[in-house]
Amino acid sequence: MYVLKLLQAVLVPLSAVGAVAQNDGSYTLREVGARNTVDWRVWLQKDGYPVSPWHDVPLYPDNKPGPVINFVVEIPRWTDGKIETQRNEPLNPLFHDTSKNKPRFVASFWPHKTYPFLYGSIPQTWENKNVKDNYTGLVGDNDPVDLFDVSSISPGYTGEVKQVKVLGGLAMIDDNTTDWKVIAIDVRDPLANLVSSVEELDKYRPGLSKSFLDWFIASHTLLRFPPDTFFTNTIKYYKVARGKGLNPIIGNEYVNARTMNAKLAESHQHWSDLVLGKEDRGKISIWQTTNPRACKTYVKPEDATKKFEIPEKSNILPPAARPAPYDRWYYVDEKFTLITVPGDVIEVD
């Protein structure tokens, strides 16, 4: 019944959402450390108190299900630092993901300049690691659902909370787990009133959706190595037991907005079960500051800084240098095989 109501809500035009899609501006950031380092953290604040960007920001603005959802920016457009929401620390600060205790970055594949869109996560959703997704047949990746924002009005910033309109999604497979990627557009973008699907987006931005689909394939095929490792023409594809060939995205196409919104409603229920202790959470920190009824996971906002030993104020240090290999472009052929030339030494994390 809940999903049915959601699907009906998807048909509401964006103009009818009105004030629902407006941010109240009360979210601020508490940043500590140097970017591009393993100790750097950004806490989201509401009314001056630290909150969880995963558990405290509502999925739907004003809690009204519909085509517009909240979105937390982790990676601004045209940047390459692999910024994520920390699952395992209280109130889930944003941090620089690591590989072998070194910050991770994403290489630029021609013609894209690193992340060609705003990238981040959808609050109050969870890709359930205990349940097989009925679309992919695989369990979830244990994270909030990912989203990429194709709007062109702003590159965004880490920790920004914004409202976007869902256009569809990609059923991606990552290490044999389900990793949905939602495609959406900022409601402030003038194009948002004209498009409600990937097909309509393509009318105004020809080739954009296909180009971004290819980016996901290219950026997920290269094996990840530490920055001091050199290699040549090494490729990894995530295997999907569907038909022939190697394929990281089910069907190599987008699902529609109706399907994606139903998936978000489902993942929202999984998140609710997680926070209420109905699902095995493993190492996930589920502390939150907005729902006192969930007493085992609730802390008063004014008590959170002291309880979790969070720095009381921002202390921003100069960023560390990025590894040199990320200053160049990399090229793949039509099969997403890395192209090399004699004498060219390739170094990618």
Side-chain angles (χ1 to χ4, degrees):
M1 180 63 70
Y2 180 74
V3 173
L4 176 59
K5 290 181 179 179
L6 174 61
L7 295 180
Q8 293 172 339
V10 172
L11 302 179
V12 177
L14 183 62
S15 58
V17 180
V20 174
Q22 302 302 312
N23 191 352
D24 62 12
S26 62
Y27 291 112
T28 56
L29 303 177
R30 192 182 301 183
E31 180 176 347
V32 175
R35 295 197 177 217
N36 304 333
T37 68
V38 298
D39 296 324
W40 175 75
R41 293 291 185 274
V42 175
W43 284 270
L44 189 66
Q45 298 182 133
K46 185 173 176 61
D47 302 323
Y49 299 116
V51 299
S52 168
W54 186 3
H55 306 312
D56 287 316
V57 178
L59 168 57
Y60 302 108
D62 289 352
N63 292 314
K64 296 179 180 179
V68 175
I69 62 173
N70 281 320
F71 163 52
V72 179
V73 178
E74 295 167 339
I75 304 172
R77 186 170 66 237
W78 300 324
T79 63
D80 55 13
K82 193 72 173 66
I83 311 303
E84 295 187 353
T85 299
Q86 175 58 275
R87 293 180 309 202
N88 304 339
E89 294 180 15
L91 299 185
N92 315 108
L94 303 174
F95 79 117
H96 201 130
D97 191 27
T98 62
S99 174
K100 297 186 178 180
N101 295 319
K102 295 181 179 181
R104 289 180 60 199
F105 296 84
V106 172
S108 293
F109 289 89
W110 176 266
H112 300 292
K113 182 180 179 182
T114 62
Y115 278 82
F117 36 65
L118 292 81
Y119 188 81
S121 61
I122 303 174
Q124 297 189 349
T125 62
W126 181 47
E127 303 257 35
N128 194 332
K129 66 182 178 67
N130 307 314
V131 176
K132 288 185 178 180
D133 184 282
N134 61 10
Y135 189 88
T136 67
L138 299 171
V139 298
D141 70 351
N142 206 30
D143 280 331
V145 177
D146 298 321
L147 183 147
F148 59 107
D149 172 8
V150 301
S151 56
S152 57
I153 59 174
S154 168
Y157 59 88
T158 297
E160 181 179 11
V161 179
K162 57 191 304 191
Q163 289 73 50
V164 295
K165 184 181 183 183
V166 174
L167 303 179
L170 297 170
M172 192 163 191
I173 306 305
D174 191 348
D175 284 340
N176 288 318
T177 63
T178 301
D179 185 14
W180 282 100
K181 308 292 184 184
V182 176
I183 181 172
I185 187 168
D186 191 318
V187 297
R188 299 169 298 175
D189 193 308
L191 188 59
N193 279 311
L194 301 175
V195 299
S196 297
S197 67
V198 173
E199 291 75 18
E200 291 174 346
L201 176 68
D202 286 339
K203 294 179 182 179
Y204 297 93
R205 302 288 186 265
L208 187 71
S209 66
K210 176 61 166 59
S211 178
F212 288 169
L213 186 154
D214 288 346
W215 182 90
F216 276 109
I217 297 176
S219 67
H220 283 72
T221 56
L222 218 54
L223 276 170
R224 303 307 186 202
F225 284 89
D228 57 355
T229 299
F230 293 84
F231 67 95
T232 302
N233 204 27
T234 305
I235 292 295
K236 174 182 178 181
Y237 284 89
Y238 295 111
K239 296 182 179 180
V240 180
R242 288 171 178 261
K244 298 180 179 180
L246 300 169
N247 183 5
I249 296 173
I250 300 294
N252 276 340
E253 61 183 4
Y254 291 86
V255 302
N256 59 34
R258 183 186 295 268
T259 298
M260 196 68 255
N261 275 295
K263 281 295 173 186
L264 290 179
E266 181 181 281
S267 67
H268 182 55
Q269 183 61 54
H270 288 317
W271 166 84
S272 179
D273 292 341
L274 175 72
V275 173
L276 293 176
K278 297 179 181 180
E279 287 282 0
D280 174 25
R281 65 182 178 88
K283 296 181 179 180
I284 291 177
S285 175
I286 54 178
W287 287 105
Q288 47 86 27
T289 69
T290 54
N291 185 6
R293 291 176 296 178
C295 56
K296 293 183 179 180
T297 65
Y298 175 74
V299 61
K300 293 181 179 179
E302 58 268 27
D303 296 338
T305 294
K306 182 177 180 180
K307 179 177 178 61
F308 301 125
E309 300 181 341
I310 296 172
E312 295 183 359
K313 297 181 180 180
S314 289
N315 181 21
I316 304 174
L317 303 177
R322 293 163 51 257
Y326 299 96
D327 291 332
R328 63 171 290 176
W329 261 310
Y330 296 88
Y331 300 82
V332 294
D333 62 19
E334 68 278 1
K335 295 182 180 179
F336 299 100
T337 300
L338 185 67
I339 297 174
T340 62
V341 297
D344 186 17
V345 178
I346 294 181
E347 181 185 21
V348 177
D349 179 15

